[in-house]
Amino acid sequence: MAAAVGDEAGGVLRGWVRDFLAGHREGGTAEVAAGVKAGSWTVLEIVEALGSCLQSPEPLTRGRGLQLLSQVLLQCHSLLQEEEVTHLVLFYENRLKDHHLLIPSVLQGLRALSMCEVLAPGLAVSVLKAIFQEVHVQSLPQPERHTVYSIITTFMHTREEELKGLGADFTFGFIQVMDGEKDPRNLLVAFQIVRDLILRDYVLGPFVEELFEVTSCYFPIDFTPPPNDPHGIQRDDLIVGLRAVLASTPHFAEFLLPLLIEKMDSELQSAKLDSLQTLSACCTIYGQKELQEFLPSLWSSLRREVFQTASEKVEAEALTTLHSLAACLSRSLLNSDTEDLLDSFLSGILQDCRHHLCEPDMKLVWPSARLLQAAAGASFRATQRITSSVLPLLLEQYNQHAQSSQRRTILEMLLGFLEIQQKWGPQDEEESALLRSRAPLSSVVFSALTDRSVQLQLVGIRALTVLGTLPGLLAPPDVELVVDHLTRLILDADDSQSCMAAMEAAGSLAPLYPGVFSGRMVRRLAEELQSEREEEGQPSLRARCRQALAAVSTHPSIVRETVPVLLQCVQQGQKGSVPADACDVVATCQSLQRVAVQCQGDAESCWYYHQTVVPRLLAAALQATMQEKACPPLGKLLLEEDTLTAMVPVIRAASTHLSPELAAQSVSQVVSLFLDGEVSFLPQDSFSCPFRPFQAGPCAASQRRLVALLMAFVCSLPRDVAIPQQDRLLRELLALSCSCECPFSATAAAKCFAGLVNKHPAGQQLDELLQTVVNRMEAALAAGPCRSQALTLLLWVTRALVIRYHPLSSRLTDQLLGLLGDTELGPSVADGFSLLMADSPDVLHRGCHADVRIMFRQRFFTDNMPKLVQAFHAASPDVQANYLKGLSHVLNYLPRPVLVPELPTLLSLLLEALSCPDCVVQLSTLTCLQPLLLEASPVLSLHVDTLVTKFLGLTASPAMAVRIAALRCIHALASLPTPVLLPYKPRVIRALAKPLDDRKRLVRKEAVVARGEWFLLGSPGR
Amino acid sequence: MVGAPGGGSPLENANPLIYRRSGERPVTAREEDDELPDSIDDREIFDLIRSINDPEHPLTLEELNVVEQVRVKVNDAESTVVVEFTPTIPHCSMATLIGLSIKVKLIRSLPERFKVDVHITPGTHASEHAVNKQLADKERVAAALENSHLLEVVNQCLSARS
């Protein structure tokens, strides 16, 4: 091998070495190391070349030589042979005894060697022993101490068995290494090593206490990172690191628990919090044995933190810790001969807290209740123990107090305990504390329900809900009573809050007792709806009945009873027997929609609902188009825009969750109804006039309005449901949308068309279809009576394509940008930009299975913003507002993180938009600027003068929403750096005096907040 | 006028009775209607002062029942506001400071046309008369706010809770 290295290479190496030693070349190590890697020379030859210098009497020279060798080793340690490593290790170990100037290089060398895979067995131990023996680590500078920790960490990962052979000596050696460490970077590593020592079962021997001392001396961590700290170590990193050590073994318990108790008594909030959190962490590994001795003092500290709370954070943490403690005690296995610590611990808590629940002044009731609930929530056993003692007491207290407010407090506490009980699910324990108090409990809850105080009623309703979900707590007659109470509250409660709460409660309890609810509540509500019709009673009662019917429809059997009743209400409107108004029908549709949403989870109910509701709604609307051909279609309730719009979500909710097979069955019926007038699937199939919405005919104008319902159905189906006769349907929709005079029908057709296009699979067929559309739209947009219809179609089709990233979308968007300059259509185009960006409730969103890419808004923004800005500058002043409006719509829907980096380029445009007289532009610009102001971007500081002037000007806007938004911006402005704002303070405060006297309360409210904040600017105590 | 709170001295009323906060005022349809004017009513004034922080507890005046809506009277037409506040204990040394905070909050938040009267609920404080006199004296209120230490404490009471 020596022959391979020619004399020439040897000469080169000696040259490099000489230069390095003379200090000529700092980078020389790289070349020397490269030579080793390239095989030009070996490490042995380097040592030989260093020869005399390593033996020099001058420590500086020796150090320089060692430095070169160690640097090379760090780069080439993987190439070393086992024999070489052995020699080098012995050499370096020996060097540890050398002059202190050499130690840094020696440690570097050892670190390099520690990473060698070929390190012979036994050497790791010998290296560590040498370090422990020869080096006083804590007198070294930080980087060298870090090197020692690195060597130890490496060996612990690679030579675990050998190190364990050292026994407790290793632990002791490390304790000495770490003792007195101060640098946070090193501490993080050291904590990790201690944690590994413990978790990987190294022998701690007699050194447990020493190991605890050497780490616990840092508790609680008190460290503030220096400003501009490049290492980025936070206080929390150290806290978590240390906590992982302290809470890693039960062996520390006897030392740690007294320390934690001491620190909990500290004045410092951070120390309290850290102690409590550490204790919680310990509870996951401790058992009874560790805790036993300290339980009384732990309890008294925790109790103090809750009873004399100084901060909500500490209180919450103390409660969590109490919970963990009780959970820990509940977990520990019971020996037959030991006392059950959980029981005695809980007895102590009960003894200290119970009597507070009975104090007449009720001063400490809440802290006591929270403590009891925290402990009770720990386990089933704890719940039983505490509820059995507290429940009878609270029930007694409830009856002793007569005032509603006090009763409410007691019932709220009771509710807390019931909710804990709920956590454990059904228990077969016959003699549970709850069951024993069943009768008084329900009588207390019922009395709350009949109390005059609304607040007490509300708590009563919540308690009732929990009670109902706990198995076995309500006897059958009680359930009937519950349902009657709820029905009474729904129908008679003066306060809408109680009424709403009762409906929600009915909704949660109905699936548990469907028979009782349908027999009593549903029947009663249905009767009420019937009887009220004759008397023409107050409309709010009927509204309540409908809402309640929807709320209670949470079980399949109930759905089957409520849906016909609600449908009946819709049809009443059409028959005209009652002077019903559109609001009534709209409200009924909202109730129907709620039922549909509640059915979506259950396939069977979903199908029942779809099968029942969709044909009946279609039939009812269809019937309306036929009545009295002579009278104008708009006169009919069910054909009014509001009513049809309200039916759309009902049909959508009934269709989105259908299984593909059932959907296919239904879609063929509905499509043939609209295309061929096939009415056979409707509940009533004799109509006075054929249904031909897409053809000219006597009732066509009113029939076309039903396209909205077609849209609601076909656009909500899953994407894999094939639509029969799709091409024909698309052609008809296209023709209707471009030519219909009625804007409602035309828009519905355009939306329906766009919804189908969005789901249409890509390919030639789609391209041809789109080509037809584009031609048709361009022709209609150019001139003629239907320009605005064509624009609506263009907007919807553009949205359909933008959200699925279709290549044609950019062409359509360009066309829209061009139309912004159109004097006639420009304003509508500008408004249309909100349609492109917002989620429409009816079509083209994920809920109705549309093809929507997640980033489409960002993409639209980056693609079109430059064009929009450019077009704005090129446009004539009278249409510039259109561009600003379009811009503000786009910005409004853009995620904040995307917008912020673009702000500098857009800011001038936004400031311009503030002067635009259009309220919509002002409003959207203000809402866009407000969050940016709150983030206090530095670029905004440059424009304070303009911003202050414009905002103050807008506080006098005629539109309330603009005034509110402007005041919010002025408030947000206060987050900019105070020195920038101070010159404006007197002016802003003076100017804000006026909106304080605004005629609208909501404006005054914002003015108060903004002015208050500006008063605090630069003032002490902010 | 008053000493600094805290400063290591024990709290005067370490364990006060805590009352429930009334929720945000629900916004009515009328309030959202641009056309109809809303007059300034008792609840609106109460909303201004209920969230003022107590100088020595991490609680609001409402939670301590120092201010109550029934003790707030406003007459929008005549531009007068009368607020009575109830110190938690009859010897509360913070009474003047609390009164001052309420007064400052109302002056900052109400149109200038209003005459603001803040005083202690009769019979609830040992030196009721003296405190009321201080609060009613415009010059003394102004002088108090010149004192930067006092202004700091008042501002802390008026700062939004974090």
Side-chain angles (χ1 to χ4, degrees):
Chain A
M1 196 168 108
V5 183
D7 271 348
E8 203 180 321
V12 174
L13 171 63
R14 277 190 295 277
W16 286 118
V17 170
R18 210 171 34 243
D19 280 358
F20 183 86
L21 292 179
H24 289 323
R25 311 182 68 103
E26 268 315 310
T29 50
E31 283 85 356
V32 179
V36 179
K37 283 179 202 161
S40 312
W41 47 72
T42 63
V43 172
L44 178 63
E45 281 163 333
I46 300 174
V47 177
E48 279 168 358
L50 284 168
S52 60
C53 124
L54 290 178
Q55 292 160 4
S56 153
E58 191 50 52
L60 274 175
T61 318
R62 291 203 303 278
R64 193 77 181 148
L66 260 180
Q67 191 189 352
L68 175 67
L69 185 59
S70 299
Q71 298 286 337
V72 172
L73 288 178
L74 275 175
Q75 295 182 45
C76 310
H77 58 81
S78 54
L79 303 170
L80 293 175
Q81 305 294 320
E82 181 174 336
E83 205 178 333
E84 288 176 308
V85 175
T86 309
H87 283 298
L88 284 166
V89 166
L90 290 178
F91 166 72
Y92 270 104
E93 278 178 7
N94 200 260
R95 287 299 94 196
L96 282 172
K97 298 181 180 128
D98 205 331
H99 194 273
H100 71 89
L101 280 176
L102 275 68
I103 299 299
S105 298
V106 179
L107 289 173
Q108 285 299 332
L110 284 172
R111 186 162 78 90
L113 295 169
S114 74
M115 293 186 278
C116 292
E117 281 173 28
V118 294
L119 191 73
L123 285 182
V125 169
S126 113
V127 168
L128 287 180
K129 271 187 172 163
I131 292 177
F132 291 160
Q133 200 171 353
E134 302 297 342
V135 189
H136 183 247
V137 176
Q138 285 306 324
S139 55
L140 296 173
Q142 185 270 334
E144 278 67 45
R145 302 202 302 273
H146 197 270
T147 310
V148 175
Y149 295 123
S150 306
I151 296 173
I152 298 176
T153 310
T154 314
F155 281 150
M156 284 176 79
H157 279 120
T158 56
R159 318 269 154 178
E160 187 172 331
E161 287 314 310
E162 288 180 44
L163 262 51
K164 282 186 176 163
L166 262 177
D169 286 352
F170 176 57
T171 312
F172 181 65
F174 177 73
I175 291 173
Q176 284 187 316
V177 167
M178 156 171 199
D179 193 2
E181 182 59 66
K182 286 209 173 55
D183 190 274
R185 289 163 283 178
N186 290 352
L187 278 175
L188 280 183
V189 189
F191 289 156
Q192 185 60 45
I193 294 176
V194 181
R195 194 157 171 248
D196 287 347
L197 275 178
I198 295 167
L199 294 184
R200 297 188 182 204
D201 284 328
Y202 282 80
V203 182
L204 304 184
F207 301 114
V208 174
E209 187 167 0
E210 277 79 359
L211 192 61
F212 174 75
E213 290 296 335
V214 86
T215 45
S216 67
C217 60
Y218 302 100
F219 184 86
I221 295 279
D222 179 23
F223 166 68
T224 322
N228 309 323
D229 177 25
H231 311 294
I233 294 180
Q234 297 297 317
R235 188 165 164 268
D236 278 353
D237 301 334
L238 289 166
I239 289 182
V240 170
L242 179 56
R243 187 173 302 150
V245 170
L246 296 178
S248 60
T249 170
H251 296 307
F252 283 166
E254 54 175 318
F255 317 113
L256 179 59
L257 288 171
L259 177 70
L260 292 179
I261 293 170
E262 183 195 321
K263 297 297 174 191
M264 266 190 251
D265 300 354
S266 146
E267 289 282 314
L268 268 178
Q269 186 180 326
S270 60
K272 278 185 201 286
L273 281 175
D274 199 358
S275 311
L276 289 166
Q277 284 162 350
T278 307
L279 181 55
S280 286
C282 289
C283 285
T284 54
I285 55 155
Y286 283 6
Q288 298 216 2
K289 184 164 72 80
E290 285 77 25
L291 290 170
Q292 181 161 26
E293 190 188 334
F294 302 97
L295 281 175
S297 8
L298 285 172
W299 161 239
S300 74
S301 294
L302 291 173
R303 183 185 54 194
R304 187 196 52 224
E305 293 314 323
V306 178
F307 276 162
Q308 294 161 31
T309 178
S311 122
E312 283 176 29
K313 252 195 205 158
V314 176
E315 185 191 339
E317 208 56 65
L319 291 171
T320 315
T321 310
L322 179 61
H323 179 95
S324 317
L325 264 179
C328 173
L329 294 175
S330 313
R331 223 175 23 240
S332 306
L333 288 174
L334 279 183
N335 290 336
S336 52
D337 50 342
T338 51
E339 164 198 26
D340 180 3
L341 274 183
L342 177 68
D343 198 58
S344 57
F345 182 60
L346 295 178
S347 301
I349 297 178
L350 280 166
Q351 197 186 349
D352 288 344
C353 293
R354 208 169 169 266
H355 65 95
H356 288 301
L357 301 179
C358 329
E359 299 289 346
D361 62 355
M362 300 183 80
K363 266 200 169 177
L364 282 172
V365 284
W366 270 118
S368 308
R370 280 197 281 264
L371 283 166
L372 287 167
Q373 286 168 359
S379 66
F380 178 68
R381 218 145 45 93
T383 311
Q384 289 309 311
R385 176 76 178 82
I386 289 188
T387 4
S388 65
S389 160
V390 171
L391 208 61
L393 185 73
L394 285 176
L395 291 170
E396 186 191 315
Q397 285 295 307
Y398 183 92
N399 292 320
Q400 276 175 11
H401 287 278
Q403 280 184 28
S404 303
S405 63
Q406 290 164 329
R407 286 186 152 195
R408 188 187 77 194
T409 307
I410 297 168
L411 192 56
E412 275 179 337
M413 287 189 279
L414 251 171
L415 176 63
F417 287 103
L418 292 178
E419 278 167 348
I420 292 171
Q421 195 81 31
Q422 217 177 3
K423 213 165 81 170
W424 307 115
Q427 294 288 341
D428 40 27
E429 224 166 298
E430 284 293 308
E431 267 308 286
S432 88
L434 271 175
L435 284 181
R436 259 175 281 138
S437 324
R438 186 166 80 178
L441 197 54
S442 31
S443 82
V444 159
V445 174
F446 289 144
S447 91
L449 292 180
T450 45
D451 197 274
R452 268 188 319 187
S453 153
V454 174
Q455 298 302 327
L456 184 53
Q457 279 180 17
L458 290 175
V459 186
I461 294 170
R462 276 164 59 205
L464 188 66
T465 316
V466 178
L467 217 52
T469 51
L470 288 169
L473 267 186
L474 291 181
D478 282 345
V479 176
E480 291 180 5
L481 202 54
V482 166
V483 176
D484 291 346
H485 269 297
L486 290 176
T487 316
R488 177 184 56 79
L489 283 168
I490 290 169
L491 293 173
D492 305 335
D494 299 324
D495 188 274
S496 63
Q497 270 179 299
S498 303
C499 172
M500 296 304 290
M503 289 184 200
E504 293 314 312
S508 344
L509 292 178
L512 301 169
Y513 311 100
V516 189
F517 272 91
S518 63
R520 300 182 90 87
M521 184 182 278
V522 175
R523 216 187 53 217
R524 178 76 202 286
L525 292 170
E527 282 170 9
E528 206 65 43
L529 274 173
Q530 295 288 332
S531 67
E532 212 53 44
R533 195 156 297 129
E534 271 109 56
E535 296 160 26
E536 276 183 45
Q538 81 258 55
S540 73
L541 186 60
R542 298 181 51 198
R544 275 188 186 186
C545 288
R546 286 189 302 253
Q547 273 180 306
L549 281 174
V552 79
S553 305
T554 45
H555 186 269
S557 71
I558 300 179
V559 170
R560 278 168 167 70
E561 293 182 34
T562 54
V563 165
V565 178
L566 288 169
L567 280 172
Q568 191 69 25
C569 291
V570 175
Q571 279 166 328
Q572 292 296 335
Q574 168 229 345
K575 285 184 185 137
S577 57
V578 202
D581 57 11
C583 295
D584 248 10
V585 182
V586 170
T588 313
C589 287
Q590 282 161 356
S591 297
L592 273 172
Q593 188 200 352
R594 175 166 181 183
V595 179
V597 172
Q598 282 162 191
C599 286
Q600 281 171 350
D602 177 51
E604 200 191 327
S605 296
C606 192
W607 178 234
Y608 161 78
Y609 186 92
H610 181 83
Q611 249 184 335
T612 319
V613 174
V614 174
R616 299 226 356 222
L617 279 185
L618 283 171
L622 220 142
Q623 184 68 40
T625 66
M626 313 280 176
Q627 280 172 352
E628 304 158 59
K629 283 172 215 159
C631 92
L634 284 176
K636 280 174 229 144
L637 191 58
L638 285 192
L639 296 180
E640 275 175 29
E641 204 166 310
D642 290 346
T643 331
L644 283 174
T645 313
M647 286 184 197
V648 168
V650 180
I651 296 186
R652 188 181 63 237
S655 313
T656 46
H657 284 62
L658 283 184
S659 70
E661 306 83 64
L662 297 174
Q665 185 184 335
S666 180
V667 72
S668 62
Q669 293 172 337
V670 175
V671 170
S672 64
L673 168 69
F674 276 84
L675 287 178
D676 309 316
E678 183 57 61
V679 293
S680 57
F681 79 103
L682 297 179
Q684 110 196 66
D685 51 8
S686 63
F687 294 96
S688 55
C689 161
F691 182 58
R692 293 268 188 257
F694 293 116
Q695 290 165 23
C699 309
S702 51
Q703 288 185 354
R704 280 182 200 137
R705 301 175 75 81
L706 302 200
V707 172
L709 304 183
L710 173 69
M711 169 201 77
F713 176 71
V714 289
C715 293
S716 310
L717 295 172
R719 245 181 284 172
D720 50 2
V721 176
I723 292 165
Q725 310 188 61
Q726 177 155 332
D727 287 332
R728 191 176 149 210
L729 186 62
L730 283 167
R731 271 200 314 279
E732 300 282 15
L733 286 169
L734 178 59
L736 186 63
S737 67
C738 283
S739 60
C740 182
E741 288 153 21
C742 162
F744 178 77
S745 312
T747 307
K751 281 159 91 172
C752 190
F753 183 80
L756 293 174
V757 162
N758 174 264
K759 291 183 195 172
H760 201 295
Q764 201 194 348
Q765 216 185 353
L766 179 65
D767 294 342
E768 282 168 14
L769 175 70
L770 287 174
Q771 197 49 51
T772 331
V773 184
V774 170
N775 294 341
R776 184 104 190 221
M777 283 190 304
E778 275 172 5
L781 278 170
C786 290
R787 287 191 80 196
S788 73
Q789 280 90 329
L791 173 63
T792 310
L793 181 64
L794 173 61
L795 284 167
W796 282 106
V797 173
T798 311
R799 171 158 170 100
L801 298 182
V802 163
I803 59 175
R804 67 178 272 188
Y805 286 6
H806 192 278
L808 192 67
S809 64
S810 64
R811 183 172 151 198
L812 298 182
T813 320
D814 287 347
Q815 203 174 356
L816 283 173
L817 286 175
L819 282 170
L820 276 174
D822 187 296
T823 38
E824 185 194 345
L825 291 180
S828 323
V829 179
D831 288 335
F833 272 78
S834 77
L835 190 150
L836 293 183
M837 303 304 283
D839 268 333
S840 143
D842 300 341
V843 286
L844 296 175
H845 61 90
R846 281 200 191 81
C848 53
H849 311 290
D851 183 359
V852 184
R853 307 295 180 90
I854 29 174
M855 307 284 263
F856 81 91
R857 292 191 181 87
Q858 284 91 316
R859 192 167 144 153
F860 186 85
F861 174 77
T862 30
D863 286 354
N864 297 302
M865 200 40 59
K867 296 186 214 164
L868 190 57
V869 174
Q870 204 183 3
F872 166 78
H873 290 299
S876 66
D878 54 328
V879 290
Q880 273 190 333
N882 296 343
Y883 291 88
L884 289 175
K885 204 167 182 181
L887 170 80
S888 34
H889 284 311
V890 176
L891 296 184
N892 263 341
Y893 291 102
L894 207 61
R896 213 47 61 194
V898 185
L899 183 53
V900 174
E902 301 293 332
L903 184 71
T905 47
L906 290 174
L907 195 61
S908 64
L909 219 58
L910 287 174
L911 294 178
E912 193 104 35
L914 283 179
S915 324
C916 174
D918 187 311
C919 280
V920 177
V921 177
Q922 288 169 355
L923 189 60
S924 68
T925 313
L926 289 169
T927 35
C928 179
L929 280 172
Q930 196 226 6
L932 298 173
L933 288 165
L934 285 177
E935 280 162 29
S937 321
V939 58
L940 287 166
S941 297
L942 304 175
H943 299 275
V944 180
D945 195 66
T946 325
L947 290 170
V948 167
T949 313
K950 304 265 184 191
F951 290 157
L952 287 179
L954 289 174
T955 60
S957 155
M960 171 168 75
V962 174
R963 298 203 295 277
I964 291 176
L967 288 166
R968 281 190 184 150
C969 281
I970 294 173
H971 181 206
L973 206 53
S975 355
L976 295 185
T978 311
V980 181
L981 300 173
L982 275 182
Y984 301 93
K985 181 175 169 178
R987 180 175 155 205
V988 172
I989 287 177
R990 217 170 35 245
L992 287 183
K994 195 161 164 281
L996 286 182
D997 212 0
D998 197 281
R999 65 204 182 99
K1000 295 306 294 176
R1001 182 170 297 133
L1002 297 175
V1003 179
R1004 295 197 292 264
K1005 195 173 145 198
E1006 298 298 335
V1008 166
V1009 179
R1011 196 166 191 246
E1013 197 60 38
W1014 274 81
F1015 260 111
L1016 295 179
L1017 275 183
S1019 200
R1022 187 193 185 191
Chain B
M1 206 151 125
V2 275
S9 62
L11 300 179
E12 280 181 353
N13 183 4
N15 196 9
L17 190 53
I18 301 171
Y19 291 76
R20 171 178 293 260
R21 288 195 297 272
S22 47
E24 284 288 305
R25 179 180 191 153
V27 177
T28 61
R30 184 197 154 88
E31 284 173 354
E32 283 177 340
D33 188 328
D34 227 336
E35 302 306 317
L36 306 169
D38 314 312
S39 63
I40 297 180
D41 61 10
D42 293 350
R43 172 69 201 249
E44 186 170 341
I45 302 293
F46 179 63
D47 278 340
L48 292 176
I49 56 175
R50 70 188 178 94
S51 54
I52 296 177
N53 301 319
D54 182 81
E56 53 170 26
H57 293 289
L59 296 165
T60 64
L61 296 187
E62 179 186 22
E63 286 169 307
L64 295 169
N65 216 34
V66 171
V67 293
E68 295 164 274
Q69 192 177 333
V70 290
R71 302 197 185 283
V72 173
K73 291 278 170 283
V74 62
N75 188 326
D76 197 6
E78 293 172 17
S79 301
T80 56
V81 172
V82 182
V83 172
E84 290 179 346
F85 68 100
T86 317
T88 50
I89 47 172
H91 294 281
C92 179
S93 68
M94 296 292 152
T96 325
L97 185 57
I98 293 172
L100 189 63
S101 300
I102 298 175
K103 184 130 192 174
V104 171
K105 175 77 186 185
L106 290 176
I107 291 173
R108 287 180 183 177
S109 313
L110 284 175
E112 284 167 34
R113 62 187 167 93
F114 275 92
K115 185 180 178 308
V116 177
D117 174 14
V118 175
H119 61 259
I120 293 181
T121 313
T124 60
H125 195 266
S127 34
E128 179 187 329
H129 184 64
V131 175
N132 286 346
K133 204 171 156 191
Q134 285 189 335
L135 289 173
D137 187 336
K138 267 188 198 166
E139 282 172 23
R140 290 179 78 169
V141 170
L145 293 180
E146 296 288 311
N147 175 339
S148 79
H149 175 67
L150 205 53
L151 183 62
E152 177 178 348
V153 182
V154 169
N155 280 342
Q156 273 163 359
C157 294
L158 300 187
S159 294
R161 265 212 280 199
S162 51

